[in-house]
Amino acid sequence: MLQILLPLALLCNGLTAGALLIAMIGVAPLRLALPDERSVQVHQLLLPKVEPLMPALLVGGTIFTGAAGFFAGSTLAHVLTIISSSLQLKAILIALTKNVPINRWLATLDPEALPGDFAESRAMERWRNWNAARAVMVILALVINVYVVGLLV
């Protein structure tokens, strides 16, 4: 069972880490450099493309990592997969409580008629900061998962 769960955990965790890293080092800085109306347009363009996939990958990585840890014969591997799953779970909680509300609000806006207080809301900065927190957690989880593979091989 471990031979199935651990590769699935690495696949989901790795794809999530890559996507969040790209958003952190590329997409978020781009959006902050653009005028507000263009930044909202870019956000609205990209969100539907990643929205169905990212939650599935993040939840899948969390579940597969936890399940793999259950079958790991090593106590160290078991403990490390619990830590990895916990980091991914924290990333899910940040997404649900911080990023998703910002995403939903931005999706409702007309980029050509932004609210007068849009700049003061700092929505793009807040999204960037919370995304960076998620990215760091998921990348750390991936590093742990790769180490676990090394322990078990």
Side-chain angles (χ1 to χ4, degrees), residues 1-2 8 14 35 40 46 54 56 66 96 100 103 113 128 142 146 153:
M1 186 60 82
L2 190 60
L8 288 172
V40 171
L46 294 177
M54 286 300 294
L96 290 174
V100 169
N103 289 344
R128 176 205 57 200
L142 179 60
V146 169
V153 184

Side-chain angles (χ1 to χ4, degrees), residues 24-40:
M24 182 173 73
I25 65 173
V27 175
L30 168 68
R31 288 192 348 224
L32 287 171
L34 294 171
D36 288 341
E37 60 278 356
R38 297 297 164 242
S39 182
V40 171

Side-chain angles (χ1 to χ4, degrees), residues 32 36 40 102 105-106 109 114-127 129-130:
L32 287 171
D36 288 341
V40 171
I102 296 169
W105 179 64
L106 291 172
L109 299 179
L114 293 176
D117 63 346
F118 181 81
E120 291 82 35
S121 75
R122 297 181 47 241
M124 295 303 181
E125 292 174 29
R126 289 184 293 119
W127 188 93
N129 295 343
W130 287 114

Side-chain angles (χ1 to χ4, degrees), residues 125-148:
E125 292 174 29
R126 289 184 293 119
W127 188 93
R128 176 205 57 200
N129 295 343
W130 287 114
N131 183 71
R134 291 187 305 168
V136 168
M137 288 178 193
V138 171
I139 291 166
L140 285 173
L142 179 60
V143 169
I144 291 168
N145 283 347
V146 169
Y147 182 74
V148 168

Side-chain angles (χ1 to χ4, degrees), residues 62-86:
T62 305
I63 292 170
F64 292 136
T65 299
F70 180 77
F71 290 101
S74 158
T75 302
L76 180 57
H78 180 72
V79 169
L80 289 173
T81 56
I82 290 171
I83 293 168
S84 176
S85 290
S86 297

